[in-house]
mmCIF file of all heavy atoms in Angstrom:
data_model
loop_
_atom_site.group_PDB
_atom_site.id
_atom_site.type_symbol
_atom_site.label_atom_id
_atom_site.label_comp_id
_atom_site.label_asym_id
_atom_site.label_seq_id
_atom_site.Cartn_x
_atom_site.Cartn_y
_atom_site.Cartn_z
ATOM 1 N N THR A 36 -17.285 -5.797 -0.297
ATOM 2 C CA THR A 36 -16.825 -5.308 -1.593
ATOM 3 C C THR A 36 -15.346 -4.947 -1.506
ATOM 4 O O THR A 36 -14.821 -4.654 -0.429
ATOM 5 C CB THR A 36 -17.636 -4.093 -2.043
ATOM 6 O OG1 THR A 36 -17.541 -3.065 -1.032
ATOM 7 C CG2 THR A 36 -19.104 -4.469 -2.216
ATOM 8 N N VAL A 37 -14.677 -4.959 -2.657
ATOM 9 C CA VAL A 37 -13.208 -4.856 -2.687
ATOM 10 C C VAL A 37 -12.777 -3.833 -3.727
ATOM 11 O O VAL A 37 -13.367 -3.741 -4.817
ATOM 12 C CB VAL A 37 -12.582 -6.226 -3.021
ATOM 13 C CG1 VAL A 37 -11.059 -6.144 -2.984
ATOM 14 C CG2 VAL A 37 -13.084 -7.308 -2.077
ATOM 15 N N TYR A 38 -11.718 -3.084 -3.395
ATOM 16 C CA TYR A 38 -11.056 -2.196 -4.348
ATOM 17 C C TYR A 38 -9.567 -2.510 -4.335
ATOM 18 O O TYR A 38 -8.944 -2.566 -3.269
ATOM 19 C CB TYR A 38 -11.281 -0.729 -3.980
ATOM 20 C CG TYR A 38 -10.451 0.238 -4.800
ATOM 21 C CD1 TYR A 38 -10.769 0.501 -6.120
ATOM 22 C CD2 TYR A 38 -9.338 0.869 -4.247
ATOM 23 C CE1 TYR A 38 -10.013 1.368 -6.893
ATOM 24 C CE2 TYR A 38 -8.567 1.742 -5.010
ATOM 25 C CZ TYR A 38 -8.912 1.986 -6.330
ATOM 26 O OH TYR A 38 -8.152 2.847 -7.077
ATOM 27 N N VAL A 39 -8.994 -2.747 -5.524
ATOM 28 C CA VAL A 39 -7.572 -3.078 -5.652
ATOM 29 C C VAL A 39 -6.955 -2.131 -6.675
ATOM 30 O O VAL A 39 -7.468 -2.017 -7.799
ATOM 31 C CB VAL A 39 -7.365 -4.536 -6.114
ATOM 32 C CG1 VAL A 39 -5.872 -4.875 -6.121
ATOM 33 C CG2 VAL A 39 -8.140 -5.512 -5.233
ATOM 34 N N GLN A 40 -5.854 -1.466 -6.307
ATOM 35 C CA GLN A 40 -5.164 -0.610 -7.263
ATOM 36 C C GLN A 40 -3.680 -0.963 -7.324
ATOM 37 O O GLN A 40 -3.122 -1.538 -6.393
ATOM 38 C CB GLN A 40 -5.340 0.871 -6.924
ATOM 39 C CG GLN A 40 -4.642 1.328 -5.663
ATOM 40 C CD GLN A 40 -4.809 2.832 -5.405
ATOM 41 O OE1 GLN A 40 -5.775 3.453 -5.861
ATOM 42 N NE2 GLN A 40 -3.873 3.423 -4.682
ATOM 43 N N ALA A 41 -3.062 -0.606 -8.440
ATOM 44 C CA ALA A 41 -1.640 -0.877 -8.632
ATOM 45 C C ALA A 41 -1.012 0.231 -9.456
ATOM 46 O O ALA A 41 -1.689 0.933 -10.209
ATOM 47 C CB ALA A 41 -1.446 -2.225 -9.344
ATOM 48 N N ASN A 42 0.317 0.382 -9.310
ATOM 49 C CA ASN A 42 1.119 1.272 -10.160
ATOM 50 C C ASN A 42 0.864 2.750 -9.892
ATOM 51 O O ASN A 42 0.960 3.588 -10.777
ATOM 52 C CB ASN A 42 0.880 0.947 -11.635
ATOM 53 C CG ASN A 42 2.120 1.044 -12.494
ATOM 54 O OD1 ASN A 42 2.078 0.645 -13.656
ATOM 55 N ND2 ASN A 42 3.215 1.579 -11.975
ATOM 56 N N VAL A 43 0.575 3.091 -8.619
ATOM 57 C CA VAL A 43 0.511 4.507 -8.245
ATOM 58 C C VAL A 43 1.882 5.152 -8.424
ATOM 59 O O VAL A 43 1.987 6.324 -8.781
ATOM 60 C CB VAL A 43 0.001 4.657 -6.798
ATOM 61 C CG1 VAL A 43 0.268 6.053 -6.241
ATOM 62 C CG2 VAL A 43 -1.492 4.350 -6.737
ATOM 63 N N HIS A 44 2.947 4.396 -8.159
ATOM 64 C CA HIS A 44 4.301 4.831 -8.485
ATOM 65 C C HIS A 44 4.682 4.236 -9.839
ATOM 66 O O HIS A 44 4.475 3.045 -10.087
ATOM 67 C CB HIS A 44 5.289 4.389 -7.411
ATOM 68 C CG HIS A 44 5.121 5.114 -6.110
ATOM 69 N ND1 HIS A 44 5.200 4.491 -4.886
ATOM 70 C CD2 HIS A 44 4.879 6.427 -5.848
ATOM 71 C CE1 HIS A 44 5.008 5.378 -3.923
ATOM 72 N NE2 HIS A 44 4.811 6.553 -4.480
ATOM 73 N N GLY A 45 5.251 5.070 -10.704
ATOM 74 C CA GLY A 45 5.436 4.686 -12.093
ATOM 75 C C GLY A 45 6.257 3.444 -12.328
ATOM 76 O O GLY A 45 5.968 2.659 -13.237
ATOM 77 N N ALA A 46 7.315 3.240 -11.524
ATOM 78 C CA ALA A 46 8.210 2.103 -11.746
ATOM 79 C C ALA A 46 7.721 0.823 -11.083
ATOM 80 O O ALA A 46 8.314 -0.237 -11.288
ATOM 81 C CB ALA A 46 9.619 2.447 -11.242
ATOM 82 N N GLU A 47 6.656 0.907 -10.307
ATOM 83 C CA GLU A 47 6.208 -0.230 -9.488
ATOM 84 C C GLU A 47 5.138 -1.016 -10.248
ATOM 85 O O GLU A 47 3.946 -0.920 -9.967
ATOM 86 C CB GLU A 47 5.728 0.277 -8.132
ATOM 87 C CG GLU A 47 6.846 1.014 -7.385
ATOM 88 C CD GLU A 47 6.443 1.504 -5.997
ATOM 89 O OE1 GLU A 47 5.352 1.137 -5.521
ATOM 90 O OE2 GLU A 47 7.231 2.251 -5.395
ATOM 91 N N VAL A 48 5.601 -1.830 -11.184
ATOM 92 C CA VAL A 48 4.710 -2.432 -12.171
ATOM 93 C C VAL A 48 4.209 -3.831 -11.805
ATOM 94 O O VAL A 48 3.251 -4.321 -12.409
ATOM 95 C CB VAL A 48 5.395 -2.476 -13.553
ATOM 96 C CG1 VAL A 48 5.638 -1.065 -14.067
ATOM 97 C CG2 VAL A 48 6.716 -3.248 -13.489
ATOM 98 N N GLN A 49 4.830 -4.493 -10.834
ATOM 99 C CA GLN A 49 4.490 -5.887 -10.550
ATOM 100 C C GLN A 49 3.031 -6.051 -10.111
ATOM 101 O O GLN A 49 2.415 -7.092 -10.362
ATOM 102 C CB GLN A 49 5.437 -6.458 -9.490
ATOM 103 C CG GLN A 49 5.180 -7.902 -9.075
ATOM 104 C CD GLN A 49 5.436 -8.946 -10.165
ATOM 105 O OE1 GLN A 49 5.853 -8.609 -11.269
ATOM 106 N NE2 GLN A 49 5.198 -10.203 -9.867
ATOM 107 N N GLY A 50 2.472 -5.037 -9.496
ATOM 108 C CA GLY A 50 1.059 -5.109 -9.093
ATOM 109 C C GLY A 50 0.129 -5.328 -10.264
ATOM 110 O O GLY A 50 -0.944 -5.947 -10.119
ATOM 111 N N ASN A 51 0.515 -4.837 -11.446
ATOM 112 C CA ASN A 51 -0.310 -5.077 -12.626
ATOM 113 C C ASN A 51 -0.329 -6.560 -12.989
ATOM 114 O O ASN A 51 -1.361 -7.099 -13.392
ATOM 115 C CB ASN A 51 0.218 -4.249 -13.806
ATOM 116 C CG ASN A 51 0.058 -2.765 -13.595
ATOM 117 O OD1 ASN A 51 -1.010 -2.303 -13.216
ATOM 118 N ND2 ASN A 51 1.125 -2.014 -13.814
ATOM 119 N N ALA A 52 0.825 -7.208 -12.841
ATOM 120 C CA ALA A 52 0.886 -8.653 -13.100
ATOM 121 C C ALA A 52 0.026 -9.415 -12.106
ATOM 122 O O ALA A 52 -0.657 -10.381 -12.468
ATOM 123 C CB ALA A 52 2.341 -9.135 -13.034
#
Side-chain angles (χ1 to χ4, degrees):
T36 57
V37 183
Y38 171 74
V39 185
Q40 69 178 25
N42 218 171
V43 165
H44 290 139
E47 300 182 9
V48 295
Q49 179 67 2
N51 293 312

